[in-house]
Amino acid sequence: MTRILPVFVLAGAFALAVDTDLARAQGAAPLRLSVADAVARGFAASHRLGEIRARAKGAQASVEGAQAADKPTVSASAGYARTNHVSEFSFPQPNGTRLVVFPDIPDNMLTRLMFQWPIYTSGRTDAVERAERAEVEAVGADLDAARADLRFEIVRAYWAAVTARETAQVIAESVARAEAQLSDARQRFAVGLIPPNEVSSLQAQRSREQAQLIEARNLQESTLIELRRLIGAEPETVIELSDGLDTGPTGSTGSTGSTGSAGSAGSTGSDLVKQALAQRPERKALSFRIGSAEAREQAVRATTKPTVALGSTVDWANPNAKIFPRQGAWLNSWDLSVNVNWALFDWGRTRAQASAVAAVADAARERLAELDTIVAAEVRQRLLDLDSSHALVQAASDAVTGAAEARRIVGDRFAAGVATGTDVLVAQVALLENGLARMRALANVKLAEARLQRAVGRP
């Protein structure tokens, strides 16, 4: 033990020095991240969420367009036309002059101001507006679903990085123990207390663990690359993960105390299923799209009903065709009208369009019913996974405690000369494997918590 402690201190100092030198070389302090920090940064940097936000803006613009559909419109137009010369048409008058009824005016100029107001549409514009509003709500639910998916990806990447980091630490500690044991074995071999094969076996184990350490560190960097991508950090950013696998649950559904044990999974599972059906954003999006399809069906069917519009025009033209006889002068005229339009027969076109939209609504209802069954099964499965993960953590922790005690006893026996180097090697490997198993069990708990949180639909 007196030889192992300095090795641990040197190994820790070396790792700290390497991290510090790397941060200084990159000219920036390490980015310290908790799970919540990583999620917040990921939301701010996500192009996926930006795309859905752009779609939300487009949907809101469609609502504004639908609201304006039943408002009055005013437009202005102007035109010029050149016609061929024609023979004037005129009548003789008693005073000997001729009254020109249709003069030869080849230059025709018209300016017009028009006013249109659909005052009754049989509910069509209201139905279109309801459909567009439902689409806005659906896109908002899509955004919530994308946030939930992104949150799960970030949490999974975060805990994968933490697992890789702590796995590397476990292996580094094992390498330090192997180095100390190998040094001690070489000294014993030098004085003839042990055969050379025990030194070779310990040296081979030390080499295998060093290779595992390199692989674990490479895996740690690989997980950090994925985490940097998800949170929008630069590839050279040094990330310091502040949360550990031994910390409390990552969310409100993360512990056995909040979700119930396996024995109470029936009642608690039913409660969580109800919460999931009320909170899952994918379900909300489908419900809104069903409402949108129903409103669009009403809008299509309303096209067979009469519409009433108020219209008015003001013309200022040379010549003005509304004034008789025609004169080569700028004259104004106006009119006010009420127009009724009613499509009496269209060969079933409207009925077909309404049936197509109704089929979309029916398909969405079937998808919603299928999603309900999937959500119910998923929540119960995630509860079972979480309970199993907690049980595995307890078992792995007990195994680590037992392996550490066995390693200590074998080390003492080896120091007393009543145990072989093979015994030490077996105890060393058992401690390492149990330590890695505990890291994997803790990581599975965090992943199970994140999956349950995503299944329930909690923010």
Side-chain angles (χ1 to χ4, degrees):
M1 182 61 69
T2 56
R3 297 188 184 95
I4 295 176
L5 184 58
V7 175
F8 281 144
V9 174
L10 290 175
F14 176 74
L16 180 60
V18 169
D19 292 342
T20 304
D21 291 342
L22 181 59
R24 289 175 179 173
Q26 294 173 345
L31 176 61
R32 185 174 176 83
L33 281 181
S34 64
V35 175
D37 295 335
V39 170
R41 290 178 65 94
F43 283 177
S46 174
H47 298 293
R48 188 190 321 171
L49 299 184
E51 176 191 355
I52 300 178
R53 291 189 189 100
R55 285 170 45 202
K57 290 181 180 179
Q60 185 60 44
S62 297
V63 170
E64 295 173 359
Q67 290 175 333
D70 60 352
K71 300 296 190 297
T73 60
V74 179
S75 60
S77 62
Y80 168 79
R82 175 74 179 183
T83 62
N84 61 292
H85 289 282
V86 297
S87 299
E88 294 184 342
F89 183 76
S90 60
F91 291 98
Q93 298 189 88
N95 59 4
T97 62
R98 300 186 67 85
L99 175 62
V100 179
V101 178
F102 194 87
D104 178 22
I105 306 176
D107 295 317
N108 293 264
M109 291 164 284
L110 171 66
T111 60
R112 172 170 291 174
L113 184 66
M114 292 176 290
F115 174 85
Q116 292 288 331
W117 190 1
I119 57 178
Y120 179 72
T121 61
S122 297
R124 183 176 185 276
T125 54
D126 293 338
V128 171
E129 182 179 348
R130 290 197 306 273
E132 298 297 344
R133 288 188 181 278
E135 183 61 25
V136 169
E137 298 292 342
V139 174
D142 288 341
L143 182 60
D144 292 338
R147 285 196 184 102
D149 290 337
L150 181 59
R151 180 186 293 108
F152 176 71
E153 289 182 31
I154 293 172
V155 170
R156 181 172 57 185
Y158 187 96
W159 291 121
V162 172
T163 303
R165 179 195 66 188
E166 298 194 10
T167 298
Q169 290 175 354
V170 170
I171 298 176
E173 292 172 0
S174 182
V175 168
R177 287 192 296 267
E179 288 282 2
Q181 187 63 40
L182 179 59
S183 176
D184 189 37
R186 283 171 176 167
Q187 293 176 9
R188 289 174 174 270
F189 171 71
V191 297
L193 295 178
I194 60 174
N197 66 297
E198 293 191 5
V199 177
S200 299
S201 298
L202 290 172
Q203 186 170 355
Q205 176 62 20
R206 188 274 314 269
S207 299
R208 284 193 294 268
E209 292 185 9
Q210 285 179 335
Q212 286 181 299
L213 180 59
I214 293 173
E215 183 180 4
R217 286 174 176 168
N218 289 339
L219 178 60
Q220 178 183 357
E221 181 58 28
S222 177
T223 57
L224 287 174
I225 289 172
E226 176 66 10
L227 183 59
R228 292 187 191 102
R229 181 188 70 83
L230 290 172
I231 67 174
E234 294 295 327
E236 298 81 12
T237 303
V238 178
I239 294 180
E240 181 182 343
L241 305 174
S242 60
D243 290 342
L245 292 175
D246 290 320
T247 57
T250 60
S252 56
T253 61
S255 66
T256 305
S258 60
T259 58
S261 61
S264 62
S267 59
T268 305
S270 299
D271 295 338
L272 288 179
V273 167
K274 292 179 182 179
Q275 293 181 26
L277 295 179
Q279 297 175 165
R280 280 289 285 263
E282 302 96 322
R283 193 178 189 280
K284 292 180 181 179
L286 276 176
S287 299
F288 287 129
R289 288 199 164 92
I290 291 172
S292 176
E294 292 173 346
R296 292 185 189 281
E297 181 185 359
Q298 295 175 5
V300 171
R301 294 189 183 281
T303 59
T304 62
K305 298 178 181 179
T307 61
V308 181
L310 181 65
S312 178
T313 60
V314 177
D315 292 341
W316 192 45
N318 181 10
N320 193 324
K322 295 180 179 178
I323 297 178
F324 185 85
R326 286 163 55 93
Q327 303 177 40
W330 286 96
L331 301 174
N332 61 64
S333 61
W334 62 271
D335 64 70
L336 181 64
S337 62
V338 176
N339 303 305
V340 179
N341 183 32
W342 193 351
L344 299 177
F345 185 70
D346 62 357
W347 295 94
R349 183 182 296 110
T350 300
R351 184 176 64 255
Q353 292 175 350
S355 298
V357 178
V360 172
D362 291 339
R365 292 188 189 94
E366 294 297 331
R367 286 178 58 195
L368 182 61
E370 176 69 10
L371 180 62
D372 287 348
T373 61
I374 292 174
V375 168
E378 184 181 3
V379 169
R380 289 184 169 89
Q381 289 171 347
R382 298 291 81 82
L383 270 174
L384 295 175
D385 291 343
L386 183 58
D387 286 335
S388 299
S389 299
H390 280 295
L392 289 175
V393 168
Q394 183 61 46
S397 298
D398 293 342
V400 169
T401 301
E405 181 64 16
R407 172 66 178 80
R408 184 190 66 79
I409 294 173
V410 170
D412 293 342
R413 289 168 58 84
F414 180 77
V418 295
T420 65
T422 303
D423 296 331
V424 175
L425 183 60
V426 171
Q428 172 77 9
V429 172
L431 179 58
L432 174 60
E433 290 179 349
N434 284 292
L436 295 178
R438 181 176 181 274
M439 288 300 101
R440 288 191 293 268
L442 288 171
N444 287 336
V445 168
K446 296 300 183 181
L447 188 57
E449 291 171 357
R451 284 175 174 163
L452 180 58
Q453 188 171 351
R454 176 66 184 92
V456 176
R458 290 179 178 173

